[in-house]
């Protein structure tokens, strides 16, 4: 489940019309959500609030043997209108599962953003500032996000920690999203790492497509290919990978599915994932890794199961009386979702189970990871996270 | 004195050493590049033994030993490890970084684990080893400095410079931790299992076979008997003689007791039991009950500066023994010694000296009650020992009445050491804190049955008298041995001379130098007891012979010093700190 601050940042991206999915770094987001979810450790409480549409604060206290916590504050120049109360949050927004890609959207024209007042441009670029201080480790995380133009975004994230070499690290990420393709350039002060990422979407170009084309020939799937390249100037080492993805779009009539294949030619690593949304409540995913240098392989299986809330017994008799063609107002914003159960297991019988949902006003995450091979020490981590936000 | 350091049995079986190394290497958190357990597959200690230079013997008895060695190793030992490493540099780079500011690559950081075989060879070690052994507290071995000088790491990744450098750096770091922390802990545990009765009860099954286990540790010359013992000149030593070297062999502990000392001990015990007024004088022994008070006081004075020393404090923590400080305090004071002794102003001396001065204030009472004598064995290995040792051996050989003295076993004295004698005073400072548990009871009635007769410390005095050149007899009543020493001390440390305005009257024994000066109450009154002709036992065992040799060499050295002093006033040399400790 996304933390409150992550959710606010996501809301900022949505409010500023930034498509997070059109990036090479999120090529395997579906598989990561279904297979690489983190299970909480210990007890963690999170109290957050969006005091104003532009300012949010969040406080976390947790205990894993010893008590630690964090304070975080966020400022957004763009007023955020989404629902942030924990009793009103749509669970689909904070729980990452199978990610259904939407149609590519033509990027805004830059003149759309221009606001003129008395012959002068008065519009400002949207920006987001975020800071988080971990105690007692005294680690500081800071984030600066700025929409430079409708197709460009700058993201500077920094971590300050005395235990890190040079006292911290800064990552600068410049993202361009032109719809048809997207590029990212990054620089990390740690060992002066330079990186380039790019993603290209095959198919019609959203910038030139007209509404008639879409009507005439609906596109059922999208094929994307991308690559990334890194080079550390100081340690003179690098890395690269390429990847392709095919995913179905909402127009697809069958069940949605996503296939990816990534290849790291330097290290000989080949990874393929296949995720399918088998029904409204169920998504399955598998990943197979193979290294053709060391002949090591790995297989991971995962699933997510959404639990729908059953009909309310008190009003069930009344709903039965409704005519089928009558409009039924949804009681909650996320429909009748009560929670989601995620599970994963790999070939070494290491498994993880996560149950996320809402109890009254609280969002909770209950998870454990265990090792089925070690009978004496099966449970490796058990944890509960509770979130409350107003 | 000679230590027979037997290297050959150590090479024979290294399986236990391999297991211990495997455990030690996997104990500490491994660097992220190593993704599997480190397995020691091959360990060969090589045929070249390490060179051990005895810097100091602080305490020598049947059941305990304390000494400082200088170890240097340039042998052909090698070690082969097997593990699996992460070959993707991006993976190891990102694994140590916070995820918030991580580039979070999609697949560029995917891992490639490769089995790796590492061979460590060309190991160069050089360091100071402090070895403290007592039967109750086990063996404590501490490296005073980081002994690892250089090391060649050859692996399957030699062609990739990044990985090679990384491996070299990481393995060196791991080995340093091993030498400084793990090895003392392992040794102490093993020695406790061997010698301590409590541990032996706990671990009865292991028994004495673990004695050979200790052989894996390169600097444990006392744990196993040598196969073909020879002395410094290659002459074979008989079993009865070698038994004196082994502090851990309970079956042969009596071999080094002289018959005379045994008789004295028996008489002492008898007198203790029967309240007899007659108690035999056992020279150079002191009641432990008496010595205990001063010992504790001096410990309180000297133990505090030692806590700042990283190596020892680390050893404290790693071993986790609350009983250790008593054994450490000797080396603790050794740490403070050289730095303070090398400084000319008296005010800058550490608390040990101040303590000594305060003791000197009430010396009249002090030396009535406690007789203390510091004995320091200075053994230096010399590379060009021929000329000096020849002179020493010839003089002693000509004048020694005891034929049992092995003159062919010289006490090494380096030529350079004659130029830099502050070393020996520095050493005496070190053990000033420990020594009070005293070696001799002098003429005071020795009632403690615990007084050790084993180390009859100054049997060589009679010999040394004879061996001195005649021009040394400056004053007819002073012992010729002694007039060299005060002059030496007075010259090397002018401020301290204030406490000894008349060097001739305070016939300081030869070996007492700075520490004796610092505790002057011990200096005066004991001379008569020490060198009284009535206390003459020159037969003794190996220890006594070693002491004789020690004395002979000391005399030779003093003679050389005297000559040198007369020839040139090179006082500046004395102010220089000893090079080995200049970094302290």
């Amino acid at each position: 489940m996304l933390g409150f601050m992550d959710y606010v940042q996501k809301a900022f991206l949505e409010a500023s019309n930034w498509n997070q999915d059109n990036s090479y770094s999120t090529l395997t987001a579906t598989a990561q959500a279904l297979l690489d979810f983190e299970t909480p450790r210990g007890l963690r409480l999170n109290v957050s609030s969006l005091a104003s549409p532009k300012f949010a604060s969040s406080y976390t206290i947790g205990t894993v043997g010893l008590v630690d916590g964090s304070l975080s504050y966020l400022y957004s120049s763009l007023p955020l209108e989404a629902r942030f109360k924990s009793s009103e949050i749509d669970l689909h927004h904070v729980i990452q599962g199978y990610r259904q890609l939407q149609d590519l959207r033509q990027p805004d024209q830059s003149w759309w953003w221009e606001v003129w007042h008395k012959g002068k441009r008065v519009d400002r670029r949207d920006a987001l500032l975020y800071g988080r201080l971990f105690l007692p480790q005294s680690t500081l995380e800071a984030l600066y996000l700025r929409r430079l133009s409708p197709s460009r975004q700058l993201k500077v994230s920094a971590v300050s920690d005395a235990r890190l070499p040079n006292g911290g690290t800064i990552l600068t990420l410049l993202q361009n999203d032109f719809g048809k393709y997207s590029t990212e350039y990054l620089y990390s002060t740690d060992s002066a790492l330079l990186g380039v990422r790019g993603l290209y979407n095959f198919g019609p170009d959203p910038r030139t497509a007209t509404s008639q084309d879409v009507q005439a020939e609906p596109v059922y799937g999208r094929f994307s290919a991308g690559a990334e390249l890194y080079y550390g100037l100081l340690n003179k080492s690098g890395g690269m990978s390429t990847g392709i993805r095919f995913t179905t779009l909402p127009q697809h009539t069958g069940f949605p599915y996503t296939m990816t294949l990534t290849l790291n030619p330097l290290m000989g690593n080949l990874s393929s994932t296949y995720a399918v949304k088998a029904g409204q409540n169920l998504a399955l995913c598998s990943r197979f890794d193979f290294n053709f240098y060391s002949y090591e392989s790995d297989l991971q299986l995962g699933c997510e199961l959404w639990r729908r809330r059953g009909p309310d017994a008190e009003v069930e008799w009344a709903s039965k009386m409704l005519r089928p063609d009558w409009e039924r107002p949804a009681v909650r914003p996320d429909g009748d979702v009560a929670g989601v159960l995620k599970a994963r297991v790999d070939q070494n019988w290491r498994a993880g189970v996560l149950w996320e949902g809402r109890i009254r006003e609280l969002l909770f995450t209950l998870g454990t990871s265990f090792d089925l091979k070690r009978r004496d020490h099966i449970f490796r981590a058990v944890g509960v996270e509770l979130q409350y936000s107003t | 004195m000679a230590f027979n350091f037997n290297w050959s049995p150590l090479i024979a079986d290294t399986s236990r050493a391999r297991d211990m190394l495997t455990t030690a290497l996997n104990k500490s958190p491994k660097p992220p590049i190593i993704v599997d357990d480190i397995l020691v597959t091959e360990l060969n200690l090589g045929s070249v033994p390490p060179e051990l230079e005895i810097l100091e013997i602080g305490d020598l008895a049947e059941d305990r030993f304390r000494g400082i060695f200088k170890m240097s190793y340039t042998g052909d030992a090698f070690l082969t490890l097997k593990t699996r490493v992460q070959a993707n540099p991006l993976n190891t780079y990102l694994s140590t970084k916070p995820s918030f500011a991580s580039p979070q690559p999609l697949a560029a950081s995917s891992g490639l684990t490769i089995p790796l075989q590492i061979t460590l060879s060309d190991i160069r070690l050089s360091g100071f080893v402090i070895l403290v052994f007592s039967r109750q507290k086990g063996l404590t071995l501490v490296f005073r400095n980081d002994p690892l000088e250089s090391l060649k790491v050859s692996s399957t990744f030699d062609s990739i410079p990044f990985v090679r450098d990384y491996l070299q750096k990481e393995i060196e770091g791991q080995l340093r931790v091993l030498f400084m922390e793990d090895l003392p802990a392992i040794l102490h545990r093993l020695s406790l299992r061997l010698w301590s009765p409590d541990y032996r009860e706990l671990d009865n099954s292991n028994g004495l076979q673990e004695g050979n286990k200790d052989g894996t540790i390169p600097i444990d010359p006392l744990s196993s008997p040598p196969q073909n013992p020879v002395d410094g000149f290659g002459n074979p030593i008989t079993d009865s003689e070698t038994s004196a070297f082994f502090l851990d062999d309970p079956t042969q502990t009596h071999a080094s007791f002289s018959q005379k000392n045994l008789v004295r001990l028996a008489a002492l015990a008898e007198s203790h039991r029967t309240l007899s007024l007659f108690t035999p004088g056992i020279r150079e022994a002191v009641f432990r009950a008496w010595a205990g008070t001063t010992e504790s006081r001096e410990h309180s004075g000297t133990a505090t500066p030692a806590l700042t020393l990283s190596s020892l404090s680390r050893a404290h923590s790693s071993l986790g023994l609350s009983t250790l400080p008593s054994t450490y305090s000797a080396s603790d004071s050794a740490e403070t010694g050289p730095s303070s002794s090398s400084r000319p102003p008296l005010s800058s001396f550490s608390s040990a000296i101040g303590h000594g001065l305060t003791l000197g204030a009430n010396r009249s009472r002090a030396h009535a009650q406690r007789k203390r004598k510091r004995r320091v064995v200075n053994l230096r290995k010399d590379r060009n020992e021929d000329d000096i040792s020849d002179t020493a051996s010839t003089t002693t050989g000509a004048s020694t009445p005891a034929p049992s003295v092995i003159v062919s076993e010289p006490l090494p004295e380096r030529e350079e050491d004659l130029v830099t004698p502050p070393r020996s005073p520095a050493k005496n400072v070190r053990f000033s804190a420990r020594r009070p548990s005293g070696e001799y009871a002098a003429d005071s009635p020795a009632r403690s049955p615990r007084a050790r007769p084993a180390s009859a410390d100054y049997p060589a005095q009679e010999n040394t008298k004879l061996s001195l050149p005649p021009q040394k007899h400056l004053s007819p009543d002073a012992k010729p041995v002694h007039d060299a020493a005060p002059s030496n001390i007075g010259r090397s440390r002018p401020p301290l001379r204030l406490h000894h305005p008349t060097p001739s009257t305070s016939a300081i024994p030869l070996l007492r130098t700075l520490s004796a000066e610092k505790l002057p109450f011990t200096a005066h009154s004991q001379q008569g007891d020490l060198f009284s002709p009535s206390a003459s036992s020159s037969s003794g065992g190996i220890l006594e012979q070693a002491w004789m040799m020690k004395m002979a060499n000391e005399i030779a050295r003093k003679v050389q010093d005297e000559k040198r002093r007369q020839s040139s006033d090179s006082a500046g040399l004395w102010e220089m700190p000893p090079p080995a400790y200049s970094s302290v």
Side-chain angles (χ1 to χ4, degrees):
Chain A
M1 185 177 290
L2 284 178
F4 180 78
M5 285 303 181
D6 296 325
Y7 180 46
V8 174
Q9 290 168 33
K10 189 182 167 193
F12 174 83
L13 293 178
E14 285 177 358
S16 63
N17 284 329
W18 182 260
N19 185 8
Q20 250 189 314
D21 292 327
N22 197 17
S23 161
Y24 181 73
S25 55
T26 57
L27 193 78
T28 59
T30 292
Q32 281 174 358
L34 291 174
L35 297 176
D36 298 336
F37 56 85
E38 271 192 37
T39 55
R41 291 177 62 91
L43 178 67
R44 194 159 293 275
L45 300 172
N46 190 311
V47 179
S48 335
S49 78
L50 191 73
S52 78
K54 292 187 173 183
F55 185 77
S57 59
S58 174
Y59 310 94
T60 303
I61 187 165
T63 169
V64 194
L66 71 163
V67 178
D68 59 348
S70 70
L71 339 164
S72 48
Y73 298 97
L74 182 143
Y75 167 76
S76 161
S77 67
L78 191 68
L80 302 174
E81 303 294 344
R83 300 167 189 261
F84 290 103
K85 286 189 194 239
S86 55
S87 55
E88 298 176 1
I89 287 178
D90 187 350
L91 284 181
H92 290 100
H93 290 167
V94 290
I95 294 176
Q96 293 176 301
Y98 183 87
R99 187 172 292 194
Q100 176 67 62
L101 294 190
Q102 304 299 320
D103 276 323
L104 290 175
R105 199 179 50 82
Q106 184 179 8
D108 294 344
Q109 301 297 319
S110 60
W111 52 267
W112 289 4
W113 285 22
E114 294 176 6
V115 179
W116 292 84
H117 181 69
K118 294 182 180 176
K120 282 201 234 172
R121 272 189 72 174
V122 294
D123 57 301
R124 305 286 297 271
R125 296 286 176 260
D126 296 328
L128 182 141
L129 281 167
Y130 164 70
R132 185 175 189 184
L133 179 65
F134 290 89
L135 294 172
Q137 302 99 319
S138 297
T139 304
L140 182 69
E141 289 179 356
L143 172 73
Y144 176 67
L145 195 64
R146 186 177 176 86
R147 290 297 305 274
L148 298 176
S149 77
S151 61
R152 181 165 298 172
Q153 174 174 276
L154 176 70
K155 183 178 178 181
V156 180
S157 48
V159 174
S160 171
D161 189 341
R163 287 163 297 181
L164 291 175
N166 303 323
T169 174
I170 301 176
L171 174 77
T172 308
L173 180 67
L174 182 67
Q175 297 173 295
N176 297 301
D177 180 9
F178 301 102
K180 178 76 173 168
Y181 63 95
S182 75
T183 57
E184 294 178 43
Y185 307 95
L186 64 90
Y187 172 75
S188 170
T189 57
D190 223 342
S191 75
L193 186 80
L194 292 171
V196 180
R197 290 195 279 246
L199 181 73
Y200 183 81
N201 295 308
F202 294 92
D205 192 340
R207 290 172 294 184
T208 59
T210 59
S211 55
Q212 290 83 6
D213 295 339
V214 177
Q215 295 293 334
E217 188 184 353
V219 181
Y220 297 110
R222 184 188 308 151
F223 185 75
S224 312
E228 63 182 348
L229 184 65
Y230 299 94
Y231 185 72
L233 291 178
L234 292 187
N235 55 19
K236 299 201 173 25
S237 65
M240 69 161 298
S241 75
T242 61
I244 54 174
R245 174 184 67 189
F246 180 78
T247 184
T248 56
L249 293 178
Q251 295 86 358
H252 184 61
T253 51
F255 51 82
Y257 62 91
T258 301
M259 295 185 292
T260 65
L261 177 71
T262 56
L263 168 71
N264 186 336
L266 291 180
M267 295 298 144
N269 198 284
L270 193 68
S271 173
S272 65
T273 70
Y274 179 69
V276 58
K277 196 166 172 57
Q280 199 182 4
N281 299 331
L282 179 66
L284 301 167
C285 184
S286 66
R287 176 165 62 196
F288 180 67
D289 289 317
F290 178 67
N291 194 305
F292 51 80
Y293 289 157
S294 64
Y295 297 122
E296 284 182 338
S297 63
D298 191 17
L299 176 68
Q300 281 184 299
L301 301 173
C303 73
E304 66 169 358
L305 185 62
W306 291 82
R307 182 168 169 270
R308 304 278 168 185
R309 189 174 290 108
D312 199 337
E314 288 184 7
V315 294
E316 192 180 2
W317 62 272
S319 58
K320 279 182 182 169
M321 306 283 284
L322 295 174
R323 296 276 175 84
D325 52 341
W326 286 5
E327 183 184 351
R328 304 182 187 205
V331 183
R332 307 187 87 92
D334 53 354
D336 47 359
V337 170
V340 61
L341 178 75
K342 288 185 186 180
R344 64 150 182 255
V345 65
D346 68 1
Q347 65 171 10
N348 296 319
W349 294 105
R350 279 194 291 268
V353 175
L354 198 67
W355 184 28
E356 297 170 310
R358 175 163 40 209
I359 298 179
R360 299 181 186 279
E361 307 280 302
L362 293 176
L363 298 177
F364 70 92
T365 304
L366 175 67
T368 177
S369 63
F370 44 90
D371 194 340
L372 294 177
K373 268 191 174 175
R374 299 185 55 183
R375 296 288 175 191
D376 53 336
H377 195 73
I378 283 187
F379 287 98
R380 295 154 62 91
V382 181
V384 181
E385 269 187 39
L386 295 173
Q387 283 189 48
Y388 177 75
S389 59
T390 60
Chain B
M1 178 190 298
F3 286 102
N4 202 316
F5 176 56
N6 206 359
W7 184 250
S8 53
L10 309 184
I11 327 174
D13 181 26
T14 56
S15 62
R16 279 287 295 268
R18 282 206 305 268
D19 295 344
M20 285 197 304
L21 267 179
T22 303
T23 313
L25 285 173
N26 290 314
K27 192 193 67 177
S28 55
K30 289 186 282 291
I33 198 171
I34 295 174
V35 294
D36 200 0
D37 283 350
I38 305 174
L39 190 67
V40 179
T41 57
E42 205 170 352
L43 173 64
N44 192 331
L45 290 177
S47 58
V48 182
E51 289 184 11
L52 280 178
E53 181 176 331
I54 303 173
L55 289 185
E56 295 179 13
I57 305 293
D59 194 353
L60 190 57
E62 303 303 321
D63 57 347
R64 59 210 169 126
F65 173 80
R66 188 177 67 236
I68 299 183
F69 298 88
K70 183 182 177 191
M71 184 195 68
S72 66
Y73 180 71
T74 56
D76 53 351
F78 68 93
L79 174 69
T80 305
L81 308 169
K82 258 187 190 167
T83 186
R84 293 198 311 159
V85 295
Q86 177 59 257
N88 192 345
L90 206 59
N91 187 300
T92 59
Y93 154 75
L94 289 176
S95 63
T96 59
K97 302 294 180 287
S99 63
F100 186 76
S102 156
Q104 292 178 329
L106 184 76
S109 61
S110 59
L112 169 62
T113 58
I114 292 182
L116 171 69
Q117 186 158 343
I118 306 174
T119 301
L120 312 180
S121 57
D122 291 344
I123 302 170
R124 298 279 176 270
L125 301 177
S126 171
F128 292 90
V129 183
I130 300 170
L131 180 70
V132 180
F133 168 77
S134 95
R135 194 175 286 277
Q136 285 80 30
K137 291 161 184 166
L139 177 81
T140 306
L141 186 144
V142 184
F143 285 96
R144 263 216 54 202
N145 56 344
D146 185 4
L148 186 64
E149 269 192 347
S150 70
L151 167 78
K152 184 187 173 195
V153 178
S154 52
S155 67
T156 45
F157 284 113
D158 277 353
S159 54
I160 308 173
F162 170 72
V163 183
R164 187 192 61 206
D165 296 345
Y166 194 93
L167 284 177
Q168 174 93 31
K169 194 179 68 181
E170 290 293 340
I171 287 170
E172 278 186 14
Q174 292 276 325
L175 272 185
R176 281 178 214 283
V177 173
L178 177 77
F179 274 117
M180 299 289 282
E181 289 177 359
D182 295 335
L183 189 61
I186 291 173
L187 275 179
H188 190 81
R189 217 168 39 237
L190 279 175
S191 66
L192 280 182
R193 209 180 288 168
L194 258 181
W195 288 299
S196 173
D198 301 336
Y199 279 76
R200 197 180 294 155
E201 286 171 8
L202 288 178
D203 199 356
N204 229 352
S205 60
N206 286 333
L208 270 180
Q209 294 112 339
E210 307 223 343
N212 298 332
K213 174 63 57 74
D214 267 1
T216 58
I217 291 84
I219 318 128
D220 189 11
L222 306 172
S223 64
S224 61
Q227 308 290 320
N228 302 308
V230 290
D231 61 13
F233 281 77
N235 305 317
I237 296 178
T238 63
D239 281 344
S240 60
E241 284 169 333
T242 53
S243 64
F245 295 136
F246 306 137
L247 308 180
D248 57 335
D249 195 350
T251 66
Q252 301 189 0
T253 44
H254 298 289
S256 61
F257 280 73
S258 71
Q259 185 66 27
K260 190 173 291 182
N261 277 335
L262 281 179
V263 169
R264 281 165 184 269
L265 253 193
L268 178 67
E270 193 72 17
S271 69
H272 189 63
R273 203 174 295 134
T274 61
L275 296 175
S276 164
L277 289 178
F278 167 73
T279 51
I282 295 183
R283 297 178 311 121
E284 294 147 19
V286 74
F287 288 139
R288 281 183 188 248
W290 293 358
T293 57
T294 55
E295 195 173 17
S296 60
R297 283 168 70 191
E298 293 212 350
H299 277 175
S300 65
T302 55
T304 34
L307 293 180
T308 62
L309 294 156
S310 62
S311 64
L312 286 171
S313 59
R314 188 185 310 192
H316 280 267
S317 61
S318 68
L319 295 175
L321 286 178
S322 59
T323 59
L324 268 183
S326 64
T327 52
Y328 268 135
S329 57
S331 46
D332 289 351
S333 59
E335 311 293 340
T336 61
S339 59
S340 59
S341 66
S342 59
R343 282 180 221 129
L346 191 61
S347 59
S348 68
F349 279 9
S350 62
S351 62
I353 298 174
H355 183 231
L357 292 177
T358 57
L359 282 180
N362 51 7
R363 87 176 52 154
S364 61
R365 187 189 57 84
H367 61 71
Q369 291 195 344
R370 318 182 193 102
K371 317 270 177 154
R372 310 198 317 169
K373 174 79 174 72
R374 275 172 192 79
R375 180 193 51 163
V376 172
V377 183
N378 285 333
L379 301 180
R380 286 186 185 279
K381 182 180 178 188
D382 59 339
R383 300 179 185 96
N384 47 4
E385 63 186 356
D386 297 334
D387 44 358
I388 309 159
S389 60
D390 277 347
T391 60
S393 59
T394 48
T395 52
T396 51
S399 58
T400 290
S404 64
V405 176
I406 303 174
V407 284
S408 62
E409 184 181 331
L411 273 201
E413 194 55 55
R414 210 179 290 169
E415 187 86 304
E416 305 91 80
D417 291 339
L418 300 176
V419 190
T420 62
R423 286 187 180 203
S424 56
K427 276 166 216 134
N428 292 339
V429 176
R430 304 177 167 188
F431 297 103
S432 61
R434 261 302 268 188
R435 244 12 268 175
S437 62
E439 259 66 60
Y440 65 98
D443 58 347
S444 62
R447 297 182 190 87
S448 169
R450 295 172 65 199
R452 292 185 293 110
S455 56
D457 287 334
Y458 287 88
Q461 295 301 326
E462 293 83 6
N463 307 331
T464 55
K465 267 189 284 184
L466 298 172
S467 66
L468 273 179
Q471 71 267 14
K472 293 301 168 197
H473 295 266
L474 301 175
S475 62
D477 52 350
K479 298 286 189 296
V481 188
H482 306 137
D483 52 7
S487 61
N488 176 22
I489 293 157
R491 179 165 53 96
S492 60
R493 279 174 190 73
L496 287 174
R497 253 186 113 157
L498 296 173
H499 306 283
H500 282 278
T502 57
S504 62
T505 61
S506 68
I508 296 168
L510 189 67
L511 286 177
R512 173 179 309 131
T513 51
L514 183 55
S515 64
E517 289 283 320
K518 285 187 294 184
L519 304 169
F521 69 92
T522 63
H524 293 258
S525 64
Q526 297 158 2
Q527 302 314 315
D529 313 327
L530 268 182
F531 305 111
S532 63
S534 65
S536 67
S537 69
S538 62
S539 58
I542 291 294
L543 293 177
E544 295 176 83
Q545 294 171 13
W547 269 104
M548 289 169 116
M549 297 317 301
K550 176 63 196 161
M551 298 303 293
N553 279 285
E554 284 285 336
I555 289 155
R557 203 181 60 125
K558 300 295 180 189
V559 169
Q560 296 275 348
D561 289 347
E562 195 70 20
K563 282 180 188 170
R564 197 172 302 269
R565 188 179 69 95
Q566 287 167 359
S567 61
S568 68
D569 264 336
S570 62
L573 280 173
W574 297 75
E575 304 302 327
M576 288 194 302
Y581 300 103
S582 58
S583 66
V584 167

